[in-house]
Amino acid sequence: MEPILWEWINAVARWLHVITAIAWIGSSFYFIHLDASLRKRAGAPAGTAGDAWQIHGGGFYHMTKYMVAPPQLPEDLTWFKWESYATWISGFFLMCVLYYRGADLFLIDQDVMALAPWQAIAASVGALALGWVAYDRMCKSPLGRNDAALAAAGFVLLVATAWAMTRVFSGRGAMLQMGALMATMMAANVFLLIIPNQRKTVAAMLRGETPDPALGRQAKQRSLHNNYLTLPVVFLMIANHYPLVTSTRFNWVMVALVLVVGASIRHFFNSQHAGKGSPWWTWGVAAAGMLAAAWLSSFGPALPAGGTAAALPTKISFTQVEEIVLSRCSMCHAAEPVWEGIATPPRGVVLDGEAAIRRHATEIRLQAGLSRAMPPANITQITPDERAILAAWSGDATR
């Protein structure tokens, strides 16, 4: 029953994480849209940034934003925080269930760095904490007074961290780590700055004082960061299903490209909502970025530490391919897997003979030939030469 129980825990945790993420992203996108669509109108109350009229669900809504605070505090005040908290908590729980519990398979690659599971988990948690501290200090430094300079510095920080993570974890683990780091920054923005600043504003009003305008400016800046990080985070969280993204040679460069692509798409919609026109060039940047990522994935799997490029034989026989697959893959992809903790062959793929191997040639090419996704953590020590043989054979239409 244990494998069945963990499978259901995994499924329910994913479901909860997706639900809470939808709620958080939806409210975040809505408020950025609302903020951008505010318009100054004659006769507006003093201290307001503008108002917006909207129609939805058969009725009209009239929203007004006070730059610092309204003249008096309303009796009912809705706080938007639980969506972000629940998203991070469910996501971290899912990370514990899958990546930390299965660190030897999903987080560690002995060819990248020889780590014990506890060391990999400690490095992962430490990187999340240090990443937040570095980002927060950066925002509170003089850089924080210049949004463009802060964005550039944040971009460099994230790309440098992505490169470092690929030198510590498996490709899949590194990409998930980067998604988790950005999500941690976003949730911590809400928990440690946005909500506390809002509480300080409310407390000042209750004391009959005028709230500090800087509190609102800081919260808005972090909220905008969250808005621009959302799309890259979503991409990195689903990237573990795509080996050409996570487990090829230039996966860390793809993180940089995804940051640019996500920011470009958000800029388009933010500009539209603000009535500043439609910068269609952003879609050209997004398309170019994704094409560049696809091109980078064609360079094949990363080499092991100190490894050399594969030497491809002039002639490849199916006997060579079958020997590699049976010796490197069939311990898991068998009717009765022999790897502890795996009760059934992953995704139902059984590679126990010529017919099965030929039938799954495309999956073999993507997972083990063009990338290092399989075997997980390279537990069977497949070599670069063997990967090259699988890639060449599976890419040959005649096979």
Side-chain angles (χ1 to χ4, degrees):
M1 285 297 294
E2 184 179 351
I4 296 174
L5 178 61
W6 279 110
E7 187 73 5
W8 275 100
I9 291 174
N10 189 350
V12 173
R14 285 176 185 269
W15 190 26
L16 176 62
H17 187 50
V18 170
I19 291 170
T20 55
I22 290 171
W24 185 16
I25 294 170
S27 63
S28 173
F29 280 10
Y30 172 73
F31 277 104
I32 290 293
H33 167 250
L34 176 61
D35 198 64
S37 64
L38 295 171
R39 300 291 181 267
K40 281 279 191 181
R41 306 183 198 276
T48 60
D51 65 356
W53 283 89
Q54 299 178 3
I55 183 170
H56 182 74
F60 291 87
Y61 296 82
H62 184 203
M63 269 74 72
T64 302
K65 179 179 180 179
Y66 289 85
M67 284 302 295
V68 180
Q72 60 185 108
L73 196 65
E75 291 185 10
D76 297 318
L77 188 61
T78 301
W79 294 77
F80 287 85
K81 57 182 180 178
W82 293 111
E83 301 92 335
S84 64
Y85 300 168
T87 300
W88 190 88
I89 291 170
S90 62
F92 188 73
F93 177 72
L94 183 59
M95 195 165 181
C96 291
V97 168
L98 187 58
Y99 279 81
Y100 291 169
R101 177 174 170 267
D104 56 340
L105 284 179
F106 301 121
L107 196 58
I108 299 169
D109 186 335
Q110 298 293 345
D111 287 341
V112 175
M113 183 176 287
L115 296 171
W118 73 265
Q119 292 173 318
I121 295 168
S124 173
V125 174
L128 295 181
L130 289 175
W132 155 252
V133 171
Y135 160 72
D136 185 56
R137 294 288 180 87
M138 192 180 290
C139 291
K140 292 176 179 176
S141 74
L143 273 173
R145 303 190 196 108
N146 185 314
D147 286 337
L150 180 60
F155 175 80
V156 172
L157 172 66
L158 289 173
V159 175
T161 304
W163 177 85
M165 293 300 97
T166 61
R167 268 57 184 175
V168 177
F169 303 118
S170 67
R172 183 183 295 174
M175 295 300 100
L176 186 79
Q177 180 73 22
M178 288 308 301
L181 172 58
M182 293 182 208
T184 298
M185 291 176 175
M186 294 167 65
N189 277 340
V190 177
F191 183 65
L192 297 176
L193 190 126
I194 295 174
I195 294 299
N197 280 16
Q198 290 176 343
R199 290 191 184 281
K200 291 174 185 177
T201 297
V202 170
M205 292 185 65
L206 292 174
R207 293 192 302 267
E209 302 171 359
T210 300
D212 182 359
L215 297 173
R217 289 195 297 270
Q218 293 169 358
K220 182 178 179 181
Q221 183 185 62
R222 299 296 183 98
S223 182
L224 192 62
H225 291 174
N226 285 4
N227 179 257
Y228 277 97
L229 284 174
T230 298
L231 297 184
V233 167
V234 172
F235 182 90
L236 291 171
M237 289 302 185
I238 64 174
N240 67 89
H241 297 288
Y242 301 98
L244 295 186
V245 176
T246 64
S247 305
T248 48
R249 194 169 305 179
F250 297 106
N251 49 5
W252 66 273
V253 181
M254 294 184 202
V255 174
L257 291 171
V258 167
L259 285 168
V260 173
V261 169
S264 298
I265 294 172
R266 286 312 305 159
H267 178 69
F268 175 84
F269 288 105
N270 291 343
S271 179
Q272 267 199 337
H273 298 156
K276 297 179 180 178
S278 302
W280 294 104
W281 58 266
T282 56
W283 292 100
V285 171
M290 297 314 294
L291 287 173
W295 174 67
L296 287 172
S297 73
S298 69
F299 283 83
L303 296 175
T308 57
L312 188 64
T314 55
K315 186 176 181 180
I316 298 172
S317 67
F318 181 79
T319 301
Q320 290 175 286
V321 172
E322 186 174 34
E323 182 179 349
I324 294 170
V325 172
L326 293 179
S327 62
R328 307 298 191 184
C329 310
S330 62
M331 63 186 303
C332 294
H333 291 284
E336 296 183 3
V338 297
W339 183 263
E340 184 179 356
I342 297 179
T344 59
R347 298 188 181 184
V349 175
V350 176
L351 302 173
D352 57 0
E354 179 175 353
I357 293 172
R358 290 188 182 279
R359 185 166 59 251
H360 294 288
T362 299
E363 291 95 325
I364 292 171
R365 177 176 173 79
L366 293 176
Q367 299 282 350
L370 299 180
S371 77
R372 288 177 55 86
M374 290 290 162
N378 199 15
I379 54 175
T380 57
Q381 293 297 299
I382 187 172
T383 67
D385 289 347
E386 290 171 332
R387 290 189 189 279
I389 290 172
L390 294 180
W393 166 77
S394 56
D396 182 356
T398 61
R399 283 197 286 277

